[in-house]
Amino acid sequence: MSQKQLSETEEDTRNFLLHLPVFDSFDTDELTLLAKHMSYVHLQRGEYLFMEGDKGNFMGFVVQGLLEVMKKSDTGQNIVIARLTKGNSIGEMALIDKSPRSATVVAKQPTTMVTLTDKGFDLLTERSPILGVKVIQKVARLLSLYMRRTSSRLADLMQSDPNL
């Protein structure tokens, strides 16, 4: 595949994806095709990527910056549950279940992300079903990893406070 077919943005996206461990088994042609279905999002400090309850229609990877992930407690207070920096992903469940967002995400400093919308994923899968399956496998692995981490944290919390 000729590099002339890529726009500068698509080439930047592909080069970013090349350095993400989640895509380490993808070859250059696969990353080129994936990059053609992704786009950049730029957030200013204090700007929301999405709010808890919003429609989930994209996932993304932090290129630079800092995001905070917040979840509403039973008392209505926003609790920071994660901080995301370069290379971290967010919104993976949106590609799987298209359910409303389970948390709120805000930029704590100017942040750039590369995103894959559900429509972009559907187009990618139409063009290359095998690549679509590979992406879903990677997303499933990410979700599995996050679930294992969350289970470990929950076990630690339950050990320290049996009333949970």
Side-chain angles (χ1 to χ4, degrees):
M1 185 172 288
S2 168
Q3 290 205 13
K4 291 178 186 167
Q5 294 175 306
L6 287 179
S7 71
E8 187 176 333
T9 300
E10 291 167 344
E11 190 172 342
D12 288 346
T13 301
R14 186 197 57 206
N15 291 340
F16 173 70
L17 296 175
L18 273 168
H19 294 92
L20 289 178
V22 70
F23 296 116
D24 60 4
S25 66
F26 286 43
D27 65 33
T28 304
D29 286 346
E30 290 171 327
L31 289 176
T32 297
L33 185 55
L34 180 57
K36 286 177 176 259
H37 292 84
M38 299 180 89
S39 57
Y40 276 90
V41 171
H42 302 283
L43 301 169
Q44 298 305 313
R45 184 176 189 273
E47 192 174 351
Y48 288 86
L49 179 62
F50 51 76
M51 303 281 289
E52 190 170 339
D54 285 355
K55 181 179 187 287
N57 60 1
F58 70 90
M59 69 168 293
F61 296 91
V62 179
V63 175
Q64 65 181 23
L66 174 66
L67 298 174
E68 275 189 351
V69 182
M70 299 175 292
K71 183 83 177 145
K72 267 202 192 321
S73 69
D74 290 339
T75 62
Q77 184 180 8
N78 277 325
I79 308 293
V80 176
I81 59 171
R83 286 183 176 83
L84 307 176
T85 58
K86 184 177 182 175
N88 290 131
S89 61
I90 188 73
E92 303 85 359
M93 291 187 292
L95 288 186
I96 305 289
D97 65 9
K98 299 185 180 12
S99 291
R101 297 295 188 182
S102 61
T104 295
V105 178
V106 64
K108 296 310 281 184
Q109 58 185 243
T111 301
T112 301
M113 300 186 64
V114 63
T115 62
L116 177 62
T117 65
D118 54 357
K119 289 180 179 144
F121 176 73
D122 290 346
L123 287 170
L124 172 71
T125 303
E126 280 177 28
R127 285 184 73 183
S128 176
I130 292 170
L131 185 54
V133 168
K134 264 181 105 166
V135 169
I136 283 294
Q137 286 174 326
K138 294 298 185 175
V139 167
R141 285 191 186 117
L142 282 173
L143 291 172
S144 178
L145 172 68
Y146 298 154
M147 192 67 197
R148 289 177 195 279
R149 284 183 188 160
T150 301
S151 296
S152 293
R153 287 182 184 156
L154 179 60
D156 291 344
L157 283 171
M158 291 180 81
Q159 184 176 11
S160 65
D161 185 352
N163 296 322
L164 288 178

